[in-house]
Amino acid sequence: MTTQPVPPPLGACPPDRRPPARVPAWIRALLLRIPESRLIVFAGVSATVGIATTAAYVPAYHWVAERTELRPMSWGDVVLGSAWPLIGALIVRGRPRNPVGWLLLVPATLGPYLLLSLYAVSSARISADPLPGADFAAWVGAWGFAQYFVVVPLLLMVFPDGYLTGPRWRFPAYGICVVAAIALFGAMFRDGSIDISEDVHNPWAVPGAWWLGYLTLVGAFATLGPGLVTAVVSLVVRTRRAVGVQRIQLQWLLLGGLMLGANMLLALVVPDPGQDLFFAVGLLSPPVGIAVAMLRHRLFDVVLVLNRTIVYVVLTAVLVGVYTALVLGVGRVAPTSTSGILAVAVVALLAATGRSAVQVAVDRWLFGHRHDPYAVLARVGRQVAPASEPDEALQRLVDALRRALRLPYAAFHSHLPQHGAALRVESGCPVAGWRAVPASSLGRDMGELRVGLRPGGERWTPEEYAAIEEVAARAATLAYAAGLVTDVARSRARIVVAREEERRRLRADLHDGVGPALAGAAHQLDALARRIAAAGEPDLADRARGVRDRLRQTVTDLRSVVHGLRPPILDQLGLAGALRDVVAGYETPRCTVELGPGLDELPAAVEVAAYAIAAEAVSNAVRHSAASELRLSAAVVDAKLRLEIRDNGRGLPAHPAAGVGLRSMGERADEVGGRMEILPAPGGGVVVRASLPDGSERS
């Protein structure tokens, strides 16, 4: 097995099934109108102010707390007000017009909000006289937290490229923004205390508007509840569709979310002083994952890190739950000092026996059947079995291999020596490096199976090598079968071409040689019969006329045979004239013909096939489509006769039945080594396309 740098561009990455939808137009327009240099400066200044004010908040909080009672300081607020704006500014510096960086910059307002809250408390509880602007500071302290209602859901919905997952997600995004705005309005004018102190109230509250508090509460739960669930669903849908770099970026975000979940689980079981610390570390994980994903997405092997993280998060959740249940259950049944020891023993036993099972399940989810070559072969075999042609089976094979081993790229390159044709199939998008496995069948080198390397240079296991080598052997067998099928098809095409050329020669010989000779003999017999009758031999004259009539019938039969060998219009007008004659005389639909060069130098078999396909397609359109316009085009392009018949009629039925005419058109194309397809036309109608070889390859 050899390692290669970068595979050749065999094809572009498959596009998403639906086009992405933009974020709200006014945001996109604002980011596009401002120069990038100003955006970067503004982001840097905003982050600097946010980080500086958050840093100043910590000593200011302790100074105020020594003089009056305050709610406990949250280190999570410190992380949000410092780490998130810092990483947001870094992202804006690398991607100034990406809304993700600007959403991370929103928490920069947290530092000023916290300092203003302390200022309001100092004015109300410490200072002898009210400080200037204390009412405004208290008012900001009553609603400054509400910004986060919209940040987290929108961040998940537009990460990593700043676009929504699809057009249908535009309405949930607008809904989250509207609900968050309503909740913010309620927080601004509700009657209640500020977050940092119960003794300072909103000075600009609306008297008697008790419902504003419920409006804020409902809005907060709506955005951080259903809104967050909607955003997670959007992220899952995006991850399922993503390929290449974008998939790695989404995995980094998933890693940050898992770290946040793990720290929240730990915060539930540790003593009270450490809860806020774990929560703060958890809040630091998502922006760090986002920063690595967007700026240095190949810094580490995220898949391996994600693998270990998922295992430990699952184990931690299970063990914490079992430990809590055992301690509570045993403590109630038998409240002795040995209950904790028993719980610890049971949890340790579960950790020792359960880690391998969890690791296998996570490996199967991330890497497929990498440790089970027989499972890989079974899955590949099930995918290949329904294929009707070796080429289709090869495509199914590389697709199944890539999915079974969770590979970024897989391709098979074969050079078939028996007829010099190259066969290439691929799955996924080319990556920066691949390994080539030789593929041979019946002692012949049929090509190689190219498998893309996973990001991070991860080494393959012996089981993966064995599975890929077995798949390469199957690919070689399919390539050999594809060569045989191609040989048979080409032989059939050569036979058909030779048959039609011989028919054209026979028609010319019969029409120009035998036919005129027989017609001349009939005229001579007619003249002979008149001379015999004039000589007084009526019986002999009648016999001569009988021979003359039989000879004329023979000429008529011969003409029928000549016409059956080849449509006479092809010899009279050529293929171009015959195609024009196919659509001539129709008032409805209105017919147009577009003919290119090269139509007068085609083999006889291709002329007959093209004429028959065009005649049948036009007849079907006239009789069944109810079209008002019909266009026939033909030209020789890249050694192929491209024939197309397009109408603007009612289109294909929901369940089209293949009649004699459709089968006949397909058989005509197959006989000469071409192909035909019937497709719905954009805007309505049907398109019949035929691609037939022009015979230059055989010459």
Side-chain angles (χ1 to χ4, degrees):
M1 181 178 293
T2 59
T3 302
Q4 303 292 342
V6 180
L10 296 181
C13 298
D16 289 340
R17 289 185 291 269
R18 296 181 178 88
R22 294 186 181 274
V23 296
W26 66 271
I27 297 178
R28 178 69 61 176
L30 180 64
L31 294 179
L32 289 177
R33 289 174 181 171
I34 303 176
E36 290 190 355
S37 58
R38 294 186 180 181
L39 291 175
I40 295 174
V41 171
F42 179 76
V45 171
S46 302
T48 302
V49 172
I51 294 171
T53 53
T54 303
Y57 162 74
V58 177
Y61 174 88
H62 290 291
W63 185 87
V64 175
E66 291 175 355
R67 291 162 175 79
T68 186
E69 184 178 357
L70 296 176
R71 289 193 174 112
M73 183 181 69
S74 172
W75 286 103
D77 291 340
V78 175
V79 170
L80 286 172
S82 57
W84 284 53
L86 174 62
I87 295 174
L90 292 175
I91 293 177
V92 171
R93 186 175 183 273
R95 306 287 189 272
R97 304 193 189 280
N98 192 321
V100 172
W102 296 100
L103 287 172
L104 287 171
L105 273 171
V106 171
T109 60
L110 184 60
Y113 150 73
L114 293 173
L115 283 182
L116 288 174
S117 299
L118 290 177
Y119 184 80
V121 173
S122 300
S123 175
R125 305 293 299 175
I126 300 176
S127 177
D129 297 322
L131 298 176
D135 287 348
F136 175 77
W139 179 63
V140 174
W143 60 266
F145 60 89
Q147 55 184 310
Y148 310 111
F149 296 164
V150 71
V151 171
V152 176
L154 286 185
L155 187 64
L156 295 179
M157 295 183 76
V158 303
F159 182 82
D161 53 7
Y163 292 88
L164 298 173
T165 306
R168 68 178 61 179
W169 296 97
R170 185 183 293 113
F171 300 103
Y174 287 157
I176 291 173
C177 294
V178 171
V179 173
I182 294 174
L184 176 62
F185 174 79
M188 285 181 175
F189 303 104
R190 66 187 174 93
D191 186 12
S193 62
I194 65 176
D195 284 349
I196 203 170
S197 174
E198 296 180 355
D199 299 327
V200 180
H201 291 262
N202 184 357
W204 296 347
V206 177
W210 54 267
W211 51 271
L212 290 175
Y214 290 100
L215 191 66
T216 303
L217 186 63
V218 171
F221 277 106
T223 53
L224 298 179
L228 191 58
V229 171
T230 303
V232 171
V233 172
S234 171
L235 183 63
V236 171
V237 173
R238 184 190 295 267
T239 305
R240 288 172 59 89
R241 300 179 184 173
V243 295
V245 172
Q246 189 180 85
R247 190 176 187 88
I248 299 174
Q249 292 173 333
L250 292 169
Q251 288 173 339
W252 274 112
L253 180 60
L254 180 58
L255 175 62
L258 289 171
M259 292 296 296
L260 175 62
N263 280 276
M264 285 185 172
L265 285 174
L266 293 174
L268 295 175
V269 297
V270 298
D272 188 43
Q275 290 182 357
D276 190 55
L277 179 61
F278 279 108
F279 186 70
V281 174
L283 287 175
L284 185 62
S285 302
V288 171
I290 290 174
V292 175
M294 299 194 69
L295 303 178
R296 292 290 186 272
H297 60 81
R298 295 189 187 275
L299 182 61
F300 305 109
D301 186 359
V302 64
V303 179
L304 291 179
V305 178
L306 185 62
N307 182 9
R308 273 59 171 183
T309 304
I310 293 174
V311 171
Y312 287 112
V313 167
V314 173
L315 281 178
T316 301
V318 173
L319 296 181
V320 167
V322 172
Y323 180 80
T324 303
L326 285 175
V327 170
L328 294 177
V330 175
R332 291 182 179 180
V333 176
T336 63
S337 60
T338 60
S339 61
I341 300 176
L342 176 61
V344 171
V346 172
V347 170
L349 182 62
L350 285 175
T353 58
R355 185 187 183 283
S356 59
V358 175
Q359 185 70 64
V360 169
V362 174
D363 281 346
R364 182 68 55 83
W365 177 50
L366 288 179
F367 303 109
H369 303 275
R370 60 183 299 182
H371 298 301
D372 191 353
Y374 296 105
V376 174
L377 294 177
R379 184 168 183 174
V380 170
R382 288 194 299 269
Q383 293 296 321
V384 171
S388 58
E389 296 290 341
D391 291 355
E392 180 188 356
L394 271 173
Q395 184 64 59
R396 287 174 171 266
L397 181 139
V398 295
D399 288 340
L401 175 65
R402 185 177 63 85
R403 288 193 295 265
L405 294 179
R406 299 295 193 271
L407 298 169
Y409 173 76
F412 182 79
H413 291 213
S414 173
H415 182 74
L416 306 176
Q418 56 266 41
H419 54 73
L423 175 64
R424 295 185 178 186
V425 293
E426 68 171 351
S427 179
C429 292
V431 293
W434 42 266
R435 289 191 177 98
V437 183
S440 59
S441 178
L442 300 178
R444 298 184 180 183
D445 182 13
M446 301 304 300
E448 60 186 14
L449 180 65
R450 297 180 180 180
V451 182
L453 301 178
R454 298 188 184 98
E458 177 197 358
R459 293 185 177 182
W460 288 355
T461 63
E463 291 83 1
E464 284 180 293
Y465 278 110
I468 292 173
E469 288 176 350
E470 289 293 334
V471 173
R474 295 193 178 191
T477 303
L478 291 174
Y480 185 77
L484 296 179
V485 171
T486 303
D487 279 343
V488 171
R490 291 192 172 187
S491 299
R492 179 188 180 189
R494 286 194 294 267
I495 292 172
V496 172
V497 170
R499 182 194 69 190
E500 293 300 329
E501 293 292 344
E502 185 65 18
R503 283 185 172 184
R504 178 156 62 178
R505 187 188 66 80
L506 286 175
R507 185 183 187 282
D509 291 343
L510 294 176
H511 185 272
D512 301 334
V514 178
L518 292 178
H523 284 295
Q524 292 175 359
L525 283 175
D526 187 47
L528 179 61
R530 287 196 299 270
R531 293 181 64 181
I532 293 174
E537 297 289 342
D539 294 337
L540 292 178
D542 291 339
R543 290 184 182 182
R545 292 189 186 96
V547 174
R548 178 204 60 187
D549 294 339
R550 287 196 296 270
L551 196 56
R552 287 178 175 174
Q553 182 62 41
T554 302
V555 172
T556 302
D557 296 340
L558 181 62
R559 288 175 179 172
S560 299
V561 172
V562 168
H563 292 172
L565 289 174
R566 176 178 167 85
I569 194 172
L570 291 174
D571 291 330
Q572 296 169 4
L573 304 178
L575 179 59
L579 292 178
R580 289 192 183 93
D581 185 74
V582 166
V583 298
Y586 291 112
E587 296 182 357
T588 303
R590 183 172 61 87
C591 302
T592 57
V593 179
E594 298 177 6
L595 302 179
L599 299 181
D600 297 330
E601 301 176 357
L602 296 172
V606 176
E607 288 182 337
V608 173
Y611 177 75
I613 293 173
E616 182 64 30
V618 170
S619 175
N620 288 338
V622 171
R623 288 185 299 168
H624 305 300
S625 69
S628 61
E629 294 184 2
L630 185 146
R631 185 172 63 88
L632 186 151
S633 61
V636 177
V637 181
D638 297 331
K640 298 285 186 182
L641 170 60
R642 311 288 183 178
L643 177 66
E644 180 178 288
I645 298 91
R646 180 189 297 263
D647 66 70
N648 65 345
R650 61 169 59 98
L652 293 171
H655 302 285
V660 176
L662 296 181
R663 287 196 299 269
S664 175
M665 289 192 293
E667 291 171 357
R668 292 276 189 178
D670 292 340
E671 281 183 345
V672 296
R675 67 187 188 91
M676 191 204 71
E677 54 186 355
I678 302 175
L679 304 170
V686 176
V687 178
V688 177
R689 290 196 184 102
S691 176
L692 311 176
D694 68 348
S696 59
E697 296 181 356
R698 288 184 290 271
S699 61

